[in-house]
């Protein structure tokens, strides 16, 4: 799958006209293993992954934290000839390997609740729709490890859903009301010269350079 094909998939998926056959075949037998919900939410995830791929640019080494179904890592592999590491816990990692196994992607089984991240350095670390699932102390520890593993001038690319605290989501450990909360909390823990990119809906991207 090349990038123009992927963009076409996102555009068609947004209108409900196209669905990924491999993923939806899986849902027929296992339900919704990644809790992506309907086609609109799935298209939103695809949009995030596409923008991460664009931000990879000429990066050599990429870490995908919470790789889920594995499609994102497959796309990132198309953007770099360097190292691509896809990290998640079981059963997600096993499903990713079965669904979208991609040559030259390192699949690492790990639970962010109690693990160390793979050794870097990484030019790009992607963490889309993951941070909100982590309790605050775990999330801050993971960000600290990311800071240690980002190469000089490296980029952390994140997406986080924003929602009213009273709404709640049984899969979310934290609720973020706005982008500034995430930008401040994360960027102040990164190393000087590295960049944080926060992906928003409607193709918007906020960025902040670490200065601490």
């Amino acid at each position: 799958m090349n990038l123009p094909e992927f963009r076409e998939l996102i555009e068609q998926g947004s209108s409900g006209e196209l669905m990924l056959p491999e993923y939806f075949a899986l849902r027929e037998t296992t339900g919704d293993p990644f809790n992506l919900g309907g086609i609109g939410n799935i298209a939103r995830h695809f949009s995030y992954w596409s923008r991460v791929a664009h931000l990879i640019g000429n990066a050599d080494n990429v870490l995908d934290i919470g790789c889920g179904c594995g499609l994102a890592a497959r796309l990132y592999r198309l953007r770099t000839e360097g190292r691509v590491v896809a990290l998640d816990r079981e059963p997600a990692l096993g499903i990713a390997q079965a669904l979208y196994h991609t040559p030259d992607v390192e699949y690492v089984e790990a639970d962010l609740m109690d693990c160390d991240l793979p050794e870097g350095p990484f030019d790009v670390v992607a963490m889309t729709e993951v941070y909100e699932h982590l309790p605050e102390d775990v999330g801050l520890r993971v960000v600290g490890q990311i800071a240690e593993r980002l190469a000089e001038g490296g980029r952390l690319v994140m997406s986080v859903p924003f929602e009213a605290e009273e709404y709640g989501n049984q899969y979310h450990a934290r609720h973020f009301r706005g982008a500034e909360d995430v930008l401040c909390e994360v960027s102040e823990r990164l190393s000087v010269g590295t960049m944080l990119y926060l992906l928003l809906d409607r193709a918007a991207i906020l960025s902040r350079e670490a200065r601490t």
Side-chain angles (χ1 to χ4, degrees), residues 102-181:
T102 303
D104 302 324
V105 171
E106 300 176 36
Y107 294 92
V108 176
E109 179 185 353
D111 189 331
L112 292 177
M113 294 297 179
D114 58 7
C115 80
D116 288 331
L117 298 179
E119 290 301 317
F122 293 98
D123 302 290
V124 174
V125 174
M127 189 164 57
T128 57
E129 306 296 275
V130 172
Y131 197 57
E132 68 278 6
H133 295 279
L134 305 176
E136 183 174 0
D137 60 329
V138 175
L140 296 179
R141 175 178 57 78
V142 169
V143 170
Q145 290 190 15
I146 291 172
E148 295 172 354
R149 287 156 176 77
L150 274 177
E152 183 177 355
R155 287 152 279 175
L156 169 58
V157 189
M158 299 176 61
S159 69
V160 175
F162 302 119
E163 56 193 3
E165 188 171 350
E166 61 269 21
Y167 166 72
N169 182 308
Q170 61 177 320
Y171 301 108
H172 293 176
R174 301 182 65 191
H175 301 83
F176 298 95
R177 292 182 178 274
E180 190 63 26
D181 293 341

Side-chain angles (χ1 to χ4, degrees), residues 60-67 70 73-74 76-77 81-88 93 96-97 100-110 117-122:
D60 289 326
N61 301 306
V62 180
L63 172 61
D64 183 18
I65 297 177
C67 67
R74 179 178 178 178
Y76 305 157
R77 173 77 274 166
E81 296 181 357
R83 181 186 182 205
V84 176
V85 180
L87 180 149
D88 214 324
L93 192 73
Q97 290 177 284
Y100 294 114
H101 187 273
T102 303
D104 302 324
V105 171
E106 300 176 36
Y107 294 92
V108 176
E109 179 185 353
L117 298 179
E119 290 301 317
F122 293 98

